[in-house]
Amino acid sequence: MTSPAKLKTQLRQHFRQQRRALSPAQQAAAAEGVLQHIEQLPGWPQRRHIAVYLPADGELDTAPIVQLCRLSKRQLYLPRIGAQGLMSFALWAEGLSLSRNRYGIAEPPLSEPSLACDDLDLVFLPLVSWDRRGHRLGMGGGYYDRLLAEAPPSTLLVGLAHSIQEHEGLPSEAWDIPLDYVLTDSELHRCRNRQN
Ligand SMILES: Nc1nc2c(c(=O)[nH]1)N(C=O)[C@@H](CNc1ccc(C(=O)N[C@@H](CCC(=O)O)C(=O)O)cc1)CN2
Ligand SMILES: Nc1ncnc2c1ncn2[C@@H]1O[C@H](COP(=O)(O)OP(=O)(O)OP(=O)(O)O)[C@@H](O)[C@H]1O
């Protein structure tokens, strides 16, 4: 039998390739498309402290969401990799000069404060693949799983994805943190496995 870890590796390869194969026009349409459903998120107008990510490797582009959040004066945070595989969410003030982490992804410098998960109203998570139960396949570092293990139900966990990244029956391991919602270019899907 194939172990969950081995299956995850195979699925990662497949879906990363699918993601990268999207054309710039498809990427742009998907990034704009999510704005049609974002207001259906529960309590959206009141969610003021929001973690996003900067896209890499074909991930859904967050630029339109970032623009919308800046216009409505919300505070944005970005993942910042620390020592020993730990990650935190650091404040991303508009116009801030970013540094590059070991994966070449831009992140706030250490001078910027980080925020406890409890104080975040919403986290948009990048993902490689997702399913309707809220399982999420990430890049394999375990960064989000470790950081969000303690997230209270008030911190809404929303995976951002292209609809083509869906794969029903993703393998799940004990530490995988389920998503509350998946937001794609075609829908907002509620996963119903945590209480909000
Ligand atoms: N946009 C974005 N930012 C993010 C994440 C993410 O998934 N997406 N992360 C979510 O966790 C963290 C970074 N995690 C990552 C984990 C692995 C690789 C990666 O490219 N790995 C290479 C090989 C590793 C290496 O070069 O050492 C690979 O698999 O090809 C990238 C990011 C924090 N920031
Ligand atoms: N809460 C945790 N405590 C300790 N180790 C963990 C925890 N969560 C994940 N890990 C470790 O991280 C490794 C990668 O996990 P997994 O393949 O689920 O990552 P992922 O969800 O794809 O990555 P990411 O969350 O960074 O996007 C696993 O081998 C696991 O040992």
Side-chain angles (χ1 to χ4, degrees):
M1 220 175 80
T2 318
S3 69
K6 220 169 184 178
L7 247 179
K8 280 183 168 184
T9 305
Q10 290 168 356
L11 288 166
R12 239 176 232 122
Q13 227 171 5
H14 174 75
F15 283 102
R16 284 182 66 176
Q17 202 273 330
Q18 298 284 105
R19 234 174 33 176
R20 279 196 296 262
L22 294 168
S23 69
Q26 287 172 314
Q27 281 284 357
E32 286 294 334
V34 301
L35 296 186
Q36 290 182 2
H37 316 287
I38 201 167
E39 287 173 11
Q40 293 166 28
L41 283 168
W44 169 249
Q46 289 79 46
R47 298 193 183 267
R48 311 299 304 173
H49 294 270
I50 299 181
V52 290
Y53 61 86
L54 291 175
D57 192 48
E59 288 169 345
L60 189 100
D61 189 357
T62 51
I65 294 180
V66 168
Q67 191 181 25
L68 180 72
C69 289
R70 296 282 190 216
L71 278 173
S72 48
K73 305 282 177 223
R74 303 182 200 223
Q75 299 268 33
L76 292 179
Y77 300 81
L78 282 174
R80 180 171 62 201
I81 310 262
Q84 280 141 22
L86 292 181
M87 187 174 90
S88 57
F89 290 118
L91 185 62
W92 180 27
E94 200 163 1
L96 179 74
S97 287
L98 300 174
S99 327
R100 299 240 162 225
N101 65 25
R102 75 175 74 137
Y103 303 109
I105 303 174
E107 61 179 27
L110 282 170
S111 54
E112 299 310 298
S114 53
L115 193 75
C117 286
D118 304 37
D119 296 323
L120 279 170
D121 302 312
L122 198 167
V123 178
F124 284 117
L125 293 88
L127 56 80
V128 174
S129 183
W130 61 281
D131 75 15
R132 291 192 177 262
R133 290 174 298 172
H135 292 152
R136 164 183 175 273
L137 180 69
M139 291 290 274
Y143 291 106
Y144 276 94
D145 291 325
R146 274 188 295 265
L147 178 58
L148 297 174
E150 310 294 334
S154 54
T155 303
L156 210 62
L157 306 182
V158 181
L160 274 185
H162 300 282
S163 34
I164 56 152
Q165 287 171 265
E166 180 179 354
H167 180 82
E168 279 324 301
L170 275 182
S172 164
E173 293 170 284
W175 55 78
D176 286 326
I177 302 296
L179 298 167
D180 297 316
Y181 288 85
V182 179
L183 178 58
T184 75
D185 42 316
S186 52
E187 65 179 314
L188 175 69
H189 171 72
R190 182 175 177 195
C191 306
R192 298 180 187 279
N193 46 31
R194 291 203 321 166
Q195 265 152 29
N196 290 289

